[in-house]
Amino acid sequence: MTAPARHNLPRPGTAFVGREPDLSDLLRLLGSTRSVTIRGADGIGKTRLALRVAEQSTVSFPDGVWFADLTDVRTVLEVYARVADAVGIVEEPGAPLATTVVEALRDRRLLLVLDSCEHVVDEVTEVGETLLAACASVSLLLTSEQVVRLSGGTVWMVPPMSQPAVARNAPLPDPATTEPVRLFLDRARARDPHFEASPQELEAVTALCDLAGGMPLGIEVLGAQAPETGVEALLQGLRTHLASPELSPGPGQAVSRNQVLPLILDHVYRNLPEAERVLLRRLAVFRGWDLELAEQVCADESLPESEVLDLITSLLNRSLATVTGEFQGRVRYRLPEAVRVFAEERLIAEGEAETFQDRLLERMLALVEDLSRKLESSRAMPWSERDAGRQRVIAEYDTLRCLLRRSHMRGAAEPGLRLCVSLVSHWVSLHTPSEGAHWMDRLLALEESDKAPSRARALVGRAQLARITRDHELALSLGEEGLRLCRKAGDEVFVRAALNLLALTEVRMHRGEHASVRVEEALRLCREAADVWNEAIALGTRAALVARQGDYSSADQHYTTALTLLRGIDHRWGMGVVLIGQARAAEVNGDLMTADRCYREALDTQRLIGAAAEEARCLAGIGRVAHAQGSPSQAYDYLSEGLRLSNQGGQRADVARALVSIAKAVFEEGLREPACRLAGAATALRDRAGLPTQDAPWPFLNVEKVRRRRRHLVNWWEQGYLLGQTEAVSEAEWVVTEARRPPDRRSRERSGTPRKGGERETTSQSTRSASGRGRTGALAVSPGTTAPQDVLTKRELEIALLVSTGKSNPEIARKLFITPSTAARHVANINRKMGFRSREQITAWVIEHGTGPRSG
């Protein structure tokens, strides 16, 4: 209950006011049904309400509450991509993204908040039905202007903010206590902390809220105007505006709630200074921006760059723009979607839409092409400089998506393909090749693409994405066509890139002779052009090729040379890739010292970059090497941490590999039953992922020659094959805890040893224990009579002693050369064993038994 909630909920820029009954109703609904759609008109506060509900629901969802903005998506693939990005799921090579997401969420208990679904109702319905059917503990909270009906779900209409009903002969309520007036006053005081309203002005505020139709965004905007205009003048001006002939509905017609907000925004817009109107219109081209970007795109002769900051500040004060956070020292802004749509309509009406969309495209092209140049540059530069461009593209990716869609809709293949070519490195480094392939395929299919100058480069980039997704035949065909066109155009940079791509693909396809020819040509061309980046990639490919041929000594030399080149230009991403390749080759060849060194350096690099999937692979590699070197405690630490990260990222192949590694380690400790179960579960995972598998009881096929004992291994293995992924991970966590204990202190719950009365644990009891539904994981011990050294493993005892000295988890991690999360897990194990709830209890227990700092 004291652990920090897991979520990615955006922090609202303003206070949440009112809606207490709505919030209570929605929390009750979410507790009784797995899908709730919050429906209402644009600007009525659906997103804010959903975020508030999500914030108060984190305790009910141990696997987190995750927010995905669907404002700009149009396809099922894009919906899955936003969900994966929100939850932290990494696309599996060779598997559809939808499959990866469903498998990763199958056993998790979490809440997905899907915002702004109205324009993709059918697509969201398809994704939602799939998740609800396949993932029994996933709940959905949707916001939409249109009805999204999911099986067994509830649609909840957001009511407008209104004055409370008054009983007959009852006194009128204080206006200042009603929801709409409270919201109005809150926004007015955000603009001017000294703002106060007299009783007469409160009546005018009530009238303003009624004219706004109870729409929260309209009330907020009016409230922000009040300190400047005055409440009475604001009311009079709004009444005059709504009564104008051009806005009045026809005889017998009333203004609908959907029409109220644009009228309010139009009134506010007309009363803005001209410069603010101009900037507001132009900001509609962004999905988010910072000051520098706004100055580069929006400023011109009529709007000086020096005025942009003050104008943005004024729009913020008027509740027409919001702050969304800070990135690389720059404040990030965006327009509320209803305001953005209104401003975009004004931009079109002024005939400026094409001009400023093109200016934005030009700026974004410069941004992504700068990213591509830096990531593939052979010039020595600090990694922070290269990575700054990568992080900036991540920040602007929503705007880039919109530009890709605009290019496709206009049939403008060339600008779209230019964006894609430079975004390939982004899609590769973030493991999102399916989304990149989606955009490139659509743009390459345009009629204009045959004549586009960027077509050749785009084919090479698309081949790279195919290689990442293990569609090797497609990678080969597209890569060869791209290479032919690049040679014809004299594009030497992409000739070298294409040769490297084709060589890597052919190594994967076991076409050694062809790969060797490509590698040698790539190396020759790179050295002639002093292209250090591509030379290092070619050397890494050559190393992988000769390693497959059994020449480990040469492979190690090539890897080392590639690393020397990459270190010389401080290219951390490239270093991480090469180090993992060298570590794997060394591990296969039995060079454990080299493997350990390379895995550890690669781990540091992947953490710096933020590549969770590679980080997990490095952790697992260090664990395997530690086991081979006879260091079981260290092996369990790293294997467990790698397993956790792979499981969080939805990487089934890596989860299976970690399970097998743990199984081999604990099998040697005599824990044969759980080891075989883990091996069976790993095989089932590989089978579901479409990967090659072997028969029971792999990897313990030749361990037992006695038929009866072998039959036990097979039975246990087959039990494990029936486990789900979460159950298997839980089993692995349990067995690692058991393996750390001395054999005579291990729990008998899973061993099948006789209990009191001669009974043995049944298979069903064992299964319940593995899944975490019938097991507490604690020993029946008393802190008063049991000393720490009698119940804790050696590592847990070390950590308990450090806890008793007041050290935090990061300090413990540095002291013991483990990760902070591993330290935290050990602390949790100690608490679970002893029934403790705090570090203070651990400290008191250690000191009581004379093993803590007070014992002298």
Side-chain angles (χ1 to χ4, degrees):
M1 296 292 289
T2 59
R6 298 182 60 206
H7 67 83
N8 69 332
L9 300 176
R11 185 182 298 276
T14 52
F16 184 84
V17 178
R19 298 292 197 189
E20 287 83 3
D22 306 331
L23 186 59
S24 299
D25 290 345
L26 281 166
L27 287 168
R28 282 196 296 271
L29 277 176
L30 201 57
S32 61
T33 183
R34 289 180 56 207
S35 74
V36 176
T37 300
I38 299 178
R39 186 190 175 202
D42 197 11
I44 205 166
K46 302 183 296 297
T47 300
R48 288 297 303 274
L49 185 56
L51 288 173
R52 191 67 169 180
V53 171
E55 287 173 4
Q56 298 196 12
S57 300
T58 53
V59 70
S60 303
F61 297 97
D63 291 314
V65 174
W66 308 104
F67 178 86
D69 184 0
L70 306 186
T71 301
D72 300 310
V73 307
R74 295 295 182 273
T75 64
V76 169
L77 174 66
E78 290 175 274
V79 175
Y80 276 116
R82 297 297 176 96
V83 171
D85 183 57
V87 182
I89 297 170
V90 180
E91 187 174 339
E92 289 181 288
L97 180 58
T99 301
T100 301
V101 171
V102 170
E103 290 298 323
L105 301 184
R106 187 176 295 279
D107 299 318
R108 298 193 197 182
R109 187 177 175 188
L110 54 77
L111 174 66
L112 284 176
V113 183
L114 304 182
D115 187 44
S116 301
C117 302
E118 54 274 353
H119 54 286
V120 280
V121 169
D122 292 340
E123 291 78 5
V124 169
T125 301
E126 179 181 335
V127 174
E129 292 289 3
T130 300
L131 292 176
L132 291 173
C135 310
S137 297
V138 169
S139 296
L140 301 176
L141 180 62
L142 293 75
T143 72
S144 177
E145 294 180 43
Q146 306 299 324
V147 176
V148 181
R149 295 196 181 277
L150 299 175
S151 299
T154 300
V155 177
W156 195 89
M157 288 293 298
V158 183
M161 285 185 162
S162 59
Q163 308 296 333
V166 181
R168 182 179 296 177
N169 299 324
L172 293 174
D174 181 0
T177 64
T178 64
E179 280 190 352
V181 174
R182 284 165 53 201
L183 179 62
F184 184 101
L185 296 176
D186 180 84
R187 299 307 183 255
R189 288 167 184 154
R191 177 87 180 267
D192 178 3
H194 302 293
F195 178 84
E196 293 294 340
S198 65
Q200 183 179 354
E201 288 175 326
L202 284 176
E203 292 182 8
V205 170
T206 301
L208 281 166
C209 294
D210 289 341
L211 287 175
M215 299 291 284
L217 182 56
I219 294 171
E220 290 184 54
V221 172
L222 291 172
Q225 294 294 109
E228 179 182 43
T229 308
V231 175
E232 297 287 354
L234 184 62
L235 176 61
Q236 184 59 43
L238 181 58
R239 281 175 169 164
T240 302
H241 176 71
L242 295 177
S244 63
E246 60 181 298
L247 298 179
S248 298
Q253 295 179 338
V255 176
S256 70
R257 184 160 287 114
N258 288 340
Q259 296 171 310
V260 168
L261 183 58
L263 295 177
I264 299 294
L265 293 175
D266 184 54
H267 171 63
V268 172
Y269 175 80
R270 294 186 185 202
N271 286 281
L272 291 176
E274 175 61 21
E276 288 186 37
R277 288 203 299 269
V278 170
L279 181 60
L280 181 64
R281 292 196 302 265
R282 295 175 181 180
L283 290 174
V285 300
F286 298 112
R287 292 306 185 272
W289 75 88
D290 58 29
L291 175 61
E292 180 186 18
L293 195 57
E295 289 172 342
Q296 291 168 341
V297 174
C298 299
D300 60 9
E301 298 81 6
S302 64
L303 187 67
E305 184 177 309
S306 59
E307 296 181 10
V308 172
L309 175 58
D310 289 340
L311 295 174
I312 290 176
T313 302
S314 180
L315 293 175
L316 286 171
N317 290 335
R318 298 178 189 279
S319 292
L320 294 172
T322 60
V323 173
T324 59
E326 186 176 311
F327 187 81
Q328 293 183 339
R330 300 184 178 101
V331 177
R332 300 283 304 176
Y333 310 90
R334 73 178 302 160
L335 298 179
E337 186 59 18
V339 176
R340 194 199 65 78
V341 170
F342 172 86
E344 186 176 46
E345 291 172 354
R346 295 301 178 273
L347 189 69
I348 294 170
E350 294 290 333
E352 297 178 328
E354 290 294 323
T355 298
F356 287 94
Q357 285 282 2
D358 289 343
R359 290 185 67 172
L360 176 63
L361 175 62
E362 181 182 351
R363 178 57 197 151
M364 289 293 106
L365 279 169
L367 183 72
V368 296
E369 287 173 351
D370 179 64
L371 161 73
S372 182
R373 281 192 299 271
K374 284 181 176 176
L375 281 182
E376 299 178 7
S377 171
S378 297
R379 179 172 65 87
M381 68 179 79
W383 170 252
S384 58
E385 183 179 340
R386 294 185 200 270
D387 196 47
R390 191 173 72 104
Q391 297 299 329
R392 182 69 187 278
V393 167
I394 293 172
E396 307 296 351
Y397 193 51
D398 284 347
T399 295
L400 288 164
R401 278 180 171 128
C402 292
L403 290 173
L404 287 169
R405 179 171 291 108
R406 177 172 177 262
S407 296
H408 178 259
M409 292 176 63
R410 295 175 62 201
E414 174 57 17
L417 290 176
R418 278 182 65 191
L419 283 171
C420 285
V421 168
S422 295
L423 283 171
V424 167
S425 56
H426 167 86
W427 289 320
V428 171
S429 67
L430 291 186
H431 297 279
T432 55
S434 290
E435 189 174 6
H438 164 76
W439 288 116
M440 295 191 88
D441 288 343
R442 297 179 81 180
L443 289 161
L444 284 168
L446 292 174
E447 194 172 316
E448 184 188 307
S449 73
D450 289 337
K451 301 176 183 178
S454 297
R455 179 178 176 80
R457 291 186 167 195
L459 288 171
V460 176
R462 179 63 182 91
Q464 178 77 303
L465 298 178
R467 183 186 70 82
I468 297 298
T469 58
R470 296 181 182 169
D471 190 346
H472 296 135
E473 293 293 344
L474 180 61
L476 205 59
S477 63
L478 291 175
E480 287 176 341
E481 176 64 9
L483 175 61
R484 183 186 69 80
L485 292 175
C486 286
R487 287 191 195 275
K488 183 178 179 182
D491 189 346
E492 297 299 329
V493 173
F494 268 75
V495 166
R496 298 191 292 271
L499 287 168
N500 271 335
L501 158 75
L502 291 168
L504 282 166
T505 304
E506 287 169 329
V507 168
R508 286 282 188 178
M509 297 174 74
H510 303 283
R511 297 176 53 173
E513 291 184 8
H514 292 83
S516 180
V517 171
R518 307 275 197 195
V519 165
E520 296 310 315
E521 184 182 1
L523 280 171
R524 178 178 60 80
L525 293 176
C526 289
R527 286 165 177 163
E528 289 174 357
D531 185 348
V532 175
W533 162 251
N534 274 304
E535 181 183 354
I537 296 299
L539 284 167
T541 306
R542 182 197 266 177
L545 178 60
V546 299
R548 282 179 180 265
Q549 296 168 347
D551 187 355
Y552 167 70
S553 178
S554 296
D556 190 57
Q557 291 176 8
H558 296 322
Y559 278 128
T560 301
T561 305
L563 282 172
T564 300
L565 293 175
L566 292 168
R567 287 193 178 102
I569 60 175
D570 195 23
H571 202 302
R572 304 295 178 88
W573 179 30
M575 288 165 57
V577 172
V578 173
L579 281 165
I580 291 176
Q582 186 175 19
R584 286 174 174 167
E587 184 183 358
V588 170
N589 192 62
D591 184 354
L592 299 181
M593 295 286 288
T594 299
D596 185 65
R597 172 178 57 79
C598 292
Y599 275 131
R600 288 179 186 276
E601 186 180 352
L603 176 62
D604 292 339
T605 301
Q606 301 304 338
R607 282 176 171 163
L608 174 69
I609 295 171
E614 281 76 12
E615 181 183 343
R617 289 165 195 148
C618 293
L619 287 164
I622 296 170
R624 292 193 303 270
V625 172
H627 172 243
Q629 290 176 325
S631 301
S633 181
Q634 190 178 87
Y636 295 141
D637 285 343
Y638 283 99
L639 287 171
S640 299
E641 185 68 8
L643 174 62
R644 183 187 65 82
L645 279 180
S646 294
N647 186 49
Q648 286 180 354
Q651 301 298 287
R652 288 176 292 174
D654 290 333
V655 169
R657 192 174 294 114
L659 289 173
V660 170
S661 298
I662 293 173
K664 290 178 178 178
V666 300
F667 193 91
E668 294 179 6
E669 296 288 330
L671 294 164
R672 290 189 161 199
E673 177 183 352
C676 290
R677 288 164 61 84
L678 292 182
T683 303
L685 269 178
R686 291 182 61 85
D687 201 13
R688 290 198 293 271
L691 299 171
T693 59
Q694 297 190 47
D695 295 332
W698 175 85
F700 311 117
L701 294 171
N702 301 315
V703 170
E704 283 291 354
K705 302 299 182 184
V706 178
R707 181 178 299 178
R708 179 177 59 82
R709 293 178 179 174
R710 179 182 171 83
R711 188 64 232 167
H712 282 312
L713 300 185
V714 172
N715 285 339
W716 294 330
W717 192 96
E718 289 174 344
Q719 290 173 20
Y721 190 88
L722 300 177
L723 293 177
Q725 183 169 324
T726 299
E727 292 176 316
V729 171
S730 175
E731 175 103 351
E733 292 173 348
W734 177 86
V735 76
V736 162
T737 301
E738 288 295 290
R740 294 179 187 278
R741 296 175 180 165
D744 60 336
R745 292 181 183 167
R746 288 177 184 161
S747 171
R748 294 184 299 173
E749 288 188 12
R750 302 297 311 274
S751 64
T753 54
R755 301 184 180 194
K756 187 174 181 180
E759 295 180 358
R760 292 178 180 268
E761 182 184 29
T762 64
T763 299
S764 61
Q765 289 170 324
S766 176
T767 302
R768 285 197 301 273
S769 175
S771 64
R773 292 188 296 270
R775 168 177 58 85
T776 65
L779 295 174
V781 295
S782 168
T785 59
T786 306
Q789 56 267 34
D790 294 334
V791 68
L792 301 183
T793 66
K794 181 180 178 181
R795 178 50 61 88
E796 289 169 350
L797 182 59
E798 289 177 317
I799 288 175
L801 291 172
L802 291 170
V803 167
S804 72
T805 65
K807 292 193 182 299
S808 65
N809 289 340
E811 290 171 329
I812 293 172
R814 287 193 293 272
K815 180 77 173 175
L816 299 181
F817 301 100
I818 60 178
T819 64
S821 55
T822 300
R825 190 166 61 252
H826 283 307
V827 173
N829 286 341
I830 296 168
N831 282 331
R832 187 166 58 248
K833 283 181 179 182
M834 302 308 301
F836 294 155
R837 294 180 178 274
S838 69
R839 301 169 81 92
E840 288 76 13
Q841 289 177 291
I842 296 175
T843 300
W845 178 49
V846 169
I847 293 172
E848 179 185 356
H849 290 278
T851 52
R854 295 182 189 172
S855 64

